[in-house]
Amino acid sequence: MKEHKNHSVAILGSGESGMGALRLARKHGLKAFLSDAQTIPVQKQRRIEAMGAGFEQGVHTLDELLKYDEVIKSPGIPDTALVITELIKVGKPVISEIEFASRYTEAKIIGITGSNGKTTTTLLTTHLLKHAGLNVASAGNVGNSFSDLLVDENPDVIVLELSSFQLDGVVDFRPDIAILLNITPDHLDRYNYDMEQYADAKWRLVKNMTQGSVLIYNADDEMITKRVIASDLACAKNQLTTKSKTNSGAYFLEGYLIFDCEKSIQIVPVEDLPLLGKHNKYNQMAAILAAIELEVPFGKIIEALATFKNAPHRLELVGYIQDVAFINDSKATNVDAVYYALDAMIRPVVWIAGGVNKGNDYAQIKNLVKNKVNTLICMGADNVHLIEEFAKDVDTLIEVRSAEEAVQQATELAKAGEVVLLSPACASFDLFNNYEHRGDLFRAEVLRLKKIKEAVKA
């Protein structure tokens, strides 16, 4: 743990990460100043003042920021923002909140990133370790910020879900166990629509790893494997694969997940796993391998698998209305996530999609849509990209402007034995606050209509 008693920090952004970094800085006696280009709510202003910190709102004043030794930026601020480029131009260190918080813990850190599956893998890993009796907590892109966690707790193991945005600004941060799940197109608007730049952001999770640490990576992902092959990482490397065998990691064979690494050789029947779908094989293999690396008895892992419940909005079965299944996959904000959702469907699909297009390439799901989807309900302020791509691939295509209308239309159009799948492939900010808001409204409307149908039937 590094101490920086005489250090001073300026913090950009008053969101979860910014406020967490401020609390942690003040806990360790650092002089701190918070700057937000937006208006800071009055209640939050009072909290900042109560911590003995200064602040500004509605602007980033460069001369003020330069008074501090270091700048901690919110993950929502890209490296291309004017304030960041100006700070870097004059040589001022700019780091992420993850980098900052990592200085103040001796805990073993499991860092998890990927375009899809991060939250599921983070929650499952935490669940496996907690069931085994370890003093473990999760933070980062799930729950509270890394900094906030360290203000209030001192766990022995920390499981961090890390987005590419959070990894921008990493300098020396190094996890003990890193999990790289996948790198597929997402947030390309932040990275100049360049997949290599986006992949480089994900790679920051592992670039500082040394001997004694462990990388768990998806060997079926070309963007990851080419970086592993080209790297000179001294850490141990465990593979995840469903396409071949490996004697260093985990693989899928004839209905079983097989774990073959230095710690042990173990087998889990797929039917004993709590999560369905091809993508969840990787997620579950990664979490189990992490637990094995921390020497959790395999019997405890099997016990914990039986009690795991995933977070909402991830292939969440909401319920049935007259033998039509309704599934909330609102977290599927990119095309790759939709691929795995459609691939997992065994019923004909009424697909609800749409929202803010992040530079989507729909080529990888074209055949799945043609073969599995009979109806596409476009739910967004601008549905042109979906209409142009899929109008000839489905029997029915309609547009709606709310989750409630989407569910009502789906209920009328879906036949018994089909599934209504909300899996948007897009960000939610055109019509909703976030993907949770979108999924919550979808779920509420399904349950409302289900209650009405049941009352009529009774």
Side-chain angles (χ1 to χ4, degrees):
M1 183 185 298
K2 299 178 182 178
E3 289 294 341
H4 294 71
K5 289 291 186 184
N6 299 317
H7 202 59
S8 64
V9 293
I11 299 163
L12 303 182
S14 62
E16 178 78 24
S17 294
M19 290 300 290
L22 180 62
R23 289 183 69 205
L24 186 61
R26 296 302 297 141
K27 176 181 178 179
H28 288 276
L30 277 63
K31 181 183 177 182
F33 176 80
L34 190 143
S35 173
D36 197 316
Q38 306 300 319
T39 301
I40 301 175
V42 173
Q43 187 176 15
K44 193 172 286 187
Q45 292 180 33
R46 291 173 181 160
R47 287 165 55 197
I48 296 168
E49 291 171 341
M51 285 186 269
F55 70 90
E56 65 177 357
Q57 58 180 330
V59 66
H60 293 308
T61 307
L62 188 62
D63 288 344
E64 184 66 30
L65 299 175
L66 290 175
K67 296 176 183 177
Y68 295 82
D69 297 322
E70 194 171 43
V71 175
I72 304 165
K73 76 179 184 71
S74 161
I77 301 175
D79 291 340
T80 54
L82 181 60
V83 64
I84 303 299
T85 59
E86 290 297 316
L87 287 165
I88 292 174
K89 187 186 298 182
V90 297
K92 182 62 64 177
V94 179
I95 64 170
S96 68
E97 178 260 334
I98 298 299
E99 178 74 24
F100 176 68
S102 68
R103 299 169 179 170
Y104 299 98
T105 181
E106 298 290 350
K108 281 193 173 296
I109 295 177
I110 301 173
I112 300 171
T113 197
S115 303
N116 299 296
K118 295 186 297 296
T119 299
T120 296
T121 306
T122 298
L123 295 178
L124 179 56
T125 302
T126 305
H127 179 75
L128 298 181
L129 300 181
K130 192 169 290 185
H131 182 82
L134 277 68
N135 177 15
V136 58
S138 58
N141 206 45
V142 60
N144 56 347
S145 70
F146 190 9
S147 295
D148 246 344
L149 173 68
L150 296 179
V151 171
D152 301 322
E153 298 183 49
N154 185 31
D156 297 324
V157 182
I158 299 173
V159 186
L160 292 176
E161 177 189 338
L162 298 170
S163 68
S164 59
F165 294 2
Q166 289 170 309
L167 290 167
D168 288 339
V170 160
V171 181
D172 297 316
F173 170 71
R174 178 174 70 243
D176 297 281
I177 298 173
I179 296 175
L180 261 175
L181 293 167
N182 44 65
I183 301 177
T184 57
D186 199 8
H187 304 298
L188 294 186
D189 49 341
R190 167 116 166 193
Y191 297 100
N192 298 315
Y193 297 93
D194 185 336
M195 269 298 294
E196 293 297 328
Q197 289 186 29
Y198 173 58
D200 287 344
K202 293 292 189 186
W203 188 252
R204 291 188 185 104
L205 174 65
V206 306
K207 69 185 181 75
N208 296 321
M209 294 182 73
T210 57
Q211 196 167 8
S213 56
V214 179
L215 168 61
I216 298 170
Y217 71 97
N218 184 344
D220 300 335
D221 188 298
E222 183 180 345
M223 296 295 287
I224 294 174
T225 53
K226 74 177 184 180
R227 281 170 169 73
V228 173
I229 292 169
S231 73
D232 56 357
L233 293 173
C235 62
K237 304 175 188 70
N238 283 336
Q239 299 181 338
L240 311 172
T241 177
T242 64
K243 296 181 178 179
S244 60
K245 294 183 180 180
T246 178
N247 59 3
S248 180
Y251 61 95
F252 172 72
L253 180 66
E254 296 178 354
Y256 294 89
L257 296 187
I258 301 174
F259 299 85
D260 188 350
C261 52
E262 288 185 10
K263 301 290 183 182
S264 63
I265 298 177
Q266 302 289 351
I267 299 175
V268 182
V270 170
E271 62 189 25
D272 290 346
L273 296 172
L275 303 172
L276 303 177
K278 181 180 179 182
H279 62 307
N280 278 322
K281 289 187 177 76
Y282 294 104
N283 299 338
Q284 291 166 112
M285 284 192 286
I288 293 169
L289 273 178
I292 290 172
E293 287 295 334
L294 292 182
E295 300 183 348
V296 173
F298 207 74
K300 286 290 185 182
I301 292 174
I302 297 301
E303 288 176 8
L305 288 172
T307 59
F308 178 69
K309 301 294 182 186
N310 200 9
H313 313 296
R314 295 157 177 83
L315 289 179
E316 171 194 1
L317 176 61
V318 177
Y320 290 85
I321 298 177
Q322 296 176 336
D323 196 32
V324 174
F326 287 78
I327 294 178
N328 169 20
D329 195 37
S330 183
K331 182 62 174 67
T333 59
N334 57 51
V335 178
D336 193 60
V338 176
Y339 173 89
Y340 287 119
L342 288 173
D343 187 59
M345 297 298 106
I346 58 175
R347 291 173 167 225
V349 178
V350 174
W351 178 31
I352 302 174
V356 179
N357 185 356
K358 298 184 288 184
N360 290 350
D361 179 358
Y362 293 108
Q364 67 172 308
I365 63 171
K366 279 288 261 185
N367 286 335
L368 280 171
V369 172
K370 288 178 181 179
N371 294 329
K372 295 197 172 191
V373 176
N374 54 47
T375 300
L376 171 56
I377 299 176
C378 300
M379 182 175 67
D382 178 10
N383 298 312
V384 172
H385 57 108
L386 284 169
I387 295 169
E388 289 180 347
E389 191 70 45
F390 297 112
K392 296 179 181 178
D393 299 327
V394 297
D395 297 330
T396 304
L397 187 151
I398 63 171
E399 296 186 73
V400 298
R401 291 293 298 263
S402 71
E404 293 84 354
E405 186 183 0
V407 173
Q408 291 163 14
Q409 291 290 335
T411 304
E412 293 180 11
L413 293 167
K415 303 179 180 64
E418 296 185 344
V419 58
V420 175
L421 172 67
L422 169 65
S423 194
C426 300
S428 55
F429 305 119
D430 55 341
L431 301 178
F432 309 97
N433 299 334
N434 46 47
Y435 76 83
E436 292 100 331
H437 182 219
R438 176 170 61 191
D440 287 342
L441 291 175
F442 173 84
R443 185 195 306 109
E445 184 62 15
V446 171
L447 294 177
R448 187 186 76 84
L449 292 179
K450 184 174 186 288
K451 187 176 181 180
I452 291 172
K453 297 287 185 181
E454 291 173 346
V456 170
K457 187 176 180 180

